[in-house]
Amino acid sequence: MMDYRAFLDILSQHPQLANWAALLPEQISSGLNESRYGDLPRWKEALKSLPALTPSKIQLNTSRVGATGDISELQRGALVQALKGLHPWRKGPFELFGVHIDTEWRSDWKWDRLKDAIAPLNGRTVLDIGCGSGYHCWRMRGAGAELVVGIDPTPLFITQYFALQKYLNEPAVAVLPMGIEHLPAKLNAFDTTFSMGILYHRRSPFDHLLALRDTLRSGGQLVLETLIIDGGAGEVLVPEGRYSKMGNVWFIPSTASLESWLRKAGFKNPRLIEVNQTSTDEQRSTEWMQFHSLAEFLDPTDANKTIEGYPAPKRATFIAEAP
């Protein structure tokens, strides 16, 4: 049901990742420990109840990642019920056998903004940190990546990944139950590493940047997306209390500050590729994510401010190369 064996076989054949492959079974077991995560048995039951369906077509390089094929009304009902048992769905969208999983985030919009600016992924080994259920991992594979390793410590997202993997059947794409702190030190193995929506959650942004650098081979590319503020070099927002109702936001730099941070961490040629203010069309509540979303996190009288009075979420994407 949550079977990584095919992926581990692939990983064990990679010269720079074989040693990690030997450590992963124990790490996976720890990350999916039912005594630590009380909802995990319920999510596993939802996964187990997914109907047996045979895809006629797999779609990894379209807005709605997923699979198409024949499905009866009875099977469709079972599919919807099982997938909704894994609520909330955050990153997507997906479509399985005509069932549109309309996720909170239009993650395809983020992908469209960066895909033509990054180094082509064809044949590359890719790491996606904090990947959720793996939407961008599937898009990376669809863009030609040879191997995509996603990591996320949230067991619900791992279960969602396996619900998708049941039908997409791509052993070269895996989402592992762990954070960046669980990676072996100085792997220096990946051609491209993505860190999207993670930096501002780290108490030490420099430690995160150094850890990102150490995942990459020499000359490998970092793709970093994070919250930013308007301002010049040296300007950083350190929210007191919550930011946009998030309690774990520590540092929000200006783009000039972040570029400086990347250089200080040893990255070469850091450059800004896009800036985008998050809209309530891109992040919103849906049938598949029924909790509060961005509209409830903003000042109801001024959409350019958070409910706490800080500048509304604006995101920037940088790319840079490892030394």
Side-chain angles (χ1 to χ4, degrees):
M1 187 165 55
M2 288 187 168
D3 189 350
Y4 285 101
R5 285 176 296 179
F7 164 73
L8 291 173
D9 286 345
I10 294 172
L11 201 68
S12 66
Q13 296 170 32
H14 192 287
Q16 282 76 41
L17 294 172
N19 289 339
W20 185 32
L23 302 175
L24 271 174
E26 184 175 344
Q27 289 185 305
I28 290 167
S29 178
S30 176
L32 295 174
N33 186 333
E34 292 186 7
S35 65
R36 292 175 60 196
Y37 303 106
D39 287 323
L40 193 51
R42 174 170 61 85
W43 297 330
K44 284 184 175 180
E45 282 302 311
L47 190 61
K48 194 174 174 181
S49 67
L50 287 166
L53 298 167
T54 303
S56 58
K57 186 178 181 181
I58 304 294
Q59 297 164 314
L60 300 182
N61 204 21
T62 58
S63 171
R64 297 183 190 179
V65 167
T68 59
D70 293 335
I71 184 171
S72 70
E73 282 303 310
L74 186 63
Q75 289 171 321
R76 179 185 172 84
L79 179 62
V80 170
Q81 183 175 0
L83 293 173
K84 287 197 170 179
L86 300 176
H87 175 275
W89 287 81
R90 299 285 186 180
K91 296 181 181 180
F94 302 101
E95 185 164 322
L96 296 173
F97 302 91
V99 175
H100 174 203
I101 304 174
D102 186 14
T103 50
E104 176 186 19
W105 279 92
R106 287 298 305 267
S107 304
D108 52 324
W109 293 5
K110 183 181 295 188
W111 184 253
D112 288 343
R113 290 194 293 265
L114 65 83
K115 64 183 176 66
D116 294 327
I118 65 176
L121 297 181
N122 193 50
R124 290 169 84 94
T125 301
V126 181
L127 176 66
D128 186 6
I129 294 163
C131 65
S133 60
Y135 176 82
H136 289 121
C137 295
W138 304 111
R139 296 302 302 267
M140 294 165 194
R141 177 66 169 162
E146 180 180 331
L147 177 69
V148 184
V149 182
I151 60 173
D152 198 292
T154 307
L156 173 61
F157 299 154
I158 307 302
T159 315
Q160 291 172 345
Y161 154 76
F162 274 107
L164 296 158
Q165 184 68 284
K166 178 180 177 69
Y167 303 116
L168 300 182
N169 192 25
E170 279 282 345
V173 176
V175 176
L176 303 172
M178 62 185 65
I180 189 172
E181 63 274 14
H182 300 111
L183 295 177
K186 298 189 182 299
L187 263 178
N188 302 122
F190 291 95
D191 299 308
T192 306
T193 292
F194 289 79
S195 172
M196 298 193 287
I198 303 298
L199 182 67
Y200 49 88
H201 289 314
R202 312 303 292 188
R203 294 185 184 184
S204 171
F206 282 99
D207 285 343
H208 185 64
L209 293 177
L210 293 171
L212 293 172
R213 185 195 67 189
D214 289 346
T215 67
L216 288 160
R217 62 164 174 80
S218 179
Q221 186 172 84
L222 171 68
V223 182
L224 176 68
E225 188 257 21
T226 188
L227 291 171
I228 55 95
I229 57 168
D230 295 331
E235 293 192 52
V236 181
L237 170 64
V238 180
E240 296 183 18
R242 293 179 176 269
Y243 171 85
S244 199
K245 290 194 177 180
M246 293 184 286
N248 58 342
V249 174
W250 297 92
F251 295 88
I252 306 178
S254 66
T255 57
S257 295
L258 184 51
E259 184 176 329
S260 173
W261 293 1
L262 287 163
R263 286 195 298 267
K264 189 172 181 66
F267 285 97
K268 295 181 177 179
N269 192 24
R271 54 231 186 252
L272 176 67
I273 62 172
E274 64 97 17
V275 176
N276 178 70
Q277 183 161 328
T278 307
S279 73
T280 52
D281 290 326
E282 185 170 356
Q283 184 190 9
R284 71 274 192 263
S285 301
T286 74
E287 179 186 357
W288 294 84
M289 203 301 292
Q290 297 180 12
F291 303 138
H292 284 182
S293 191
L294 181 60
E296 289 76 35
F297 305 157
L298 299 177
D299 184 326
T301 64
D302 185 353
N304 289 311
K305 293 181 180 179
T306 70
I307 200 162
E308 302 88 2
Y310 295 115
K314 183 181 288 188
R315 294 171 180 269
T317 304
F318 277 81
I319 54 177
E321 280 69 48

